[in-house]
Amino acid sequence: MRYVTERMEDLIAGLVTAAIGAFIIFEASHYKLGTLRNMGPGYFPIILGGVMLVLAVFMVATARRGPVPQPMGMDRLRGTLFVTAGFLAFAFTVEAAGLLVSVFLVVFLSALGNRNTSAVTAAALAVATAVVLTLIFREKQNHQNEAY
């Protein structure tokens, strides 16, 4: 039991990575796989899920001893809450408000998770990221989501 508690963070990270990889493979298995020359929509996600499973095995196998995890303090809780709020804001606004607003919200809220980042810095980072991503996805890739 001591072996597990000393390596808890690495083991949890490996198991979560494996679960996400398995979920990706499961979901992608419903799509046409195709061939290497003519890839279907399920090809890349299955490869990605497989890579995640391999990385998860390495994460668990190479777990190192570390300090016993401490209870979550306010600094860690702040980051967790702001990043979660950023993901939720993106999920709820990407179709209704468009890519520009959604990317701005996710970057702005996630940046505020770091207590050393000011609101002005977070806003500048969010504006720059939103504009660049909107230009890339909207103009260069003919992305299907509306920019704004």
Side-chain angles (χ1 to χ4, degrees):
M1 189 65 177
R2 184 175 176 192
Y3 176 86
V4 173
T5 57
E6 289 175 345
R7 293 157 178 83
M8 186 66 72
E9 290 180 1
D10 287 343
L11 295 175
I12 290 173
L15 293 175
V16 169
T17 303
I20 292 171
F23 177 75
I24 290 171
I25 291 173
F26 174 75
E27 286 295 318
S29 67
H30 296 97
Y31 295 108
K32 185 177 177 184
L33 186 61
T35 64
L36 185 59
R37 192 172 282 215
N38 187 16
M39 295 180 198
Y43 194 89
F44 181 73
I46 287 178
I47 297 298
L48 180 66
V51 168
M52 288 183 73
L53 286 175
V54 170
L55 290 175
V57 169
F58 283 123
M59 289 169 74
V60 170
T62 62
R64 294 185 179 172
R65 266 178 77 176
V68 176
Q70 300 298 318
M72 187 174 284
M74 286 305 291
D75 288 342
R76 294 176 97 182
L77 184 60
R78 175 189 170 116
T80 302
L81 292 175
F82 271 106
V83 170
T84 302
F87 281 123
L88 291 174
F90 183 86
F92 289 124
T93 61
V94 69
E95 289 185 10
L99 190 64
L100 183 72
V101 174
S102 300
V103 170
F104 175 84
L105 287 174
V106 72
V107 173
F108 180 73
L109 290 171
S110 297
L112 289 178
N114 182 348
R115 67 183 180 99
N116 297 327
T117 304
S118 69
V120 173
T121 303
L125 180 63
V127 166
T129 305
V131 169
V132 169
L133 282 179
T134 299
L135 289 174
I136 290 172
F137 282 106
R138 183 78 175 150
E139 303 302 325
K140 302 294 184 194
Q141 302 281 334
N142 294 327
H143 198 262
Q144 63 189 3
N145 287 347
E146 294 296 321
Y148 36 81

